[in-house]
Amino acid sequence: MEFPAELVRGEIVKCYKNLILDVQIGDEVVPVFCPELDARQKIYVPGAEVWLLPTGNSRWRLKYETQMINRDGSLIMINPTYAEVLLEEAFSAGLLTDFSAYNRLRRVDESDDVSYAQLEFSNEREEKCYVYAVSIYNKQGACVVFPSFINFFEMFSEFAKLREMGHETRVVLIVPREDCADIKFVWNIAPMAAAKIFDEAKNGLKFCGYACTISDKSIKITRKMKIL
């Protein structure tokens, strides 16, 4: 996926708790919108290099939205709004090996009467897989880990009902950073969330993960990641 406009490079000056950053662009410091991300991950820090997308709305006070950040020489895509596009492109390219049983993909809409699934995979046998896609960022050692601040609870009951109807359900973990070898399920960050995920996995909810390559021009899914 190519970014819709040329990104603007800046440097973080100050971080606020209300999803706002002060960013130095040339000789000017401007307020910038930043997608929600758990502050405990310490990804947003003063001095970090960031890439911004102009909002294109002259009425907004915030003229830029954060897209990527450079942490220790590695780019991290921190705008999570492109999950569906990334999966659609990867499916067309044959990269989503966990979905080889399906040859159709569409976005879920209001008429489907599901609230949390974003995508539906299907085939000629009317087999279906409903997907909740989420980006994960938190790193421990060489792995990106989950769960951290991510709230999976809202969609568990809905996905359980879909499985009762005979459908497959999956959580797709998208890793928009290039400095992680694998994905690791951990208990030490959010133990209550981890316990619930563990139970749901035993009840049939499946998890899979995919890595991305990132540049200041584009981001795309490139490979499947192992979940430890």
Side-chain angles (χ1 to χ4, degrees):
M1 184 207 80
E2 294 186 354
F3 296 116
E6 185 175 354
L7 301 186
V8 177
R9 181 189 171 280
E11 183 177 299
I12 296 177
V13 176
K14 188 174 181 179
C15 309
Y16 300 91
K17 292 183 179 179
N18 59 349
L19 310 184
I20 305 297
L21 305 175
D22 281 343
V23 175
Q24 181 92 35
I25 304 175
D27 297 327
E28 183 181 13
V29 175
V30 298
V32 170
F33 173 72
C34 151
E36 185 172 2
L37 191 61
D38 195 325
R40 290 172 296 177
Q41 297 181 38
K42 303 184 185 303
I43 289 181
Y44 302 128
V45 294
E49 186 180 31
V50 290
W51 281 263
L52 314 171
L53 182 69
T55 62
N57 192 328
S58 60
R59 293 177 294 178
W60 288 3
R61 177 172 174 264
L62 303 179
K63 306 301 181 185
Y64 297 95
E65 180 178 7
T66 313
Q67 300 293 296
M68 298 187 303
I69 188 166
N70 183 349
R71 289 308 313 275
D72 303 321
S74 177
L75 291 179
I76 305 173
M77 174 71 175
I78 53 178
N79 189 330
T81 60
Y82 302 123
E84 291 95 336
V85 175
L86 291 174
L87 289 174
E88 287 168 342
E89 290 183 352
F91 184 67
S92 296
L95 296 172
L96 300 186
T97 55
D98 294 283
F99 299 91
S100 58
Y102 305 101
N103 56 14
R104 296 193 294 255
L105 170 61
R106 70 176 184 88
R107 296 195 187 191
V108 171
D109 58 37
E110 294 180 358
S111 65
D112 291 291
D113 196 29
V114 293
S115 300
Y116 299 105
Q118 300 135 309
L119 298 168
E120 177 199 274
F121 293 80
S122 63
N123 57 30
E124 292 85 354
R125 298 185 297 276
E126 298 304 319
E127 297 170 329
K128 295 180 180 180
C129 177
Y130 288 92
V131 165
Y132 176 79
V134 61
S135 297
I136 59 173
Y137 309 89
N138 205 6
K139 184 182 179 186
Q140 291 183 2
C143 295
V144 60
V145 297
F146 82 103
S148 55
F149 72 101
I150 298 168
N151 184 359
F152 289 99
F153 294 95
E154 297 172 332
M155 39 75 68
F156 283 151
S157 59
E158 179 178 272
F159 273 32
K161 292 178 182 177
L162 289 170
R163 290 195 298 276
E164 289 174 1
M165 297 167 60
H167 305 311
E168 183 181 11
T169 59
R170 282 187 180 268
V171 173
V172 178
L173 306 171
I174 299 174
V175 182
R177 55 188 301 166
E178 297 180 313
D179 57 348
C180 298
D182 298 301
I183 300 170
K184 189 174 183 179
F185 174 78
V186 296
W187 294 86
N188 63 335
I189 301 175
M192 290 182 63
K196 184 61 177 174
I197 287 173
F198 188 78
D199 287 341
E200 291 301 312
K202 289 192 296 184
N203 292 330
L205 179 62
K206 298 179 181 179
F207 290 79
C208 58
Y210 291 90
C212 300
T213 58
I214 309 167
S215 73
D216 60 354
K217 299 288 192 300
S218 66
I219 176 172
K220 63 180 180 178
I221 288 173
T222 53
R223 64 179 177 88
K224 177 180 170 61
M225 296 184 78
K226 184 186 297 184
I227 299 180
L228 307 177

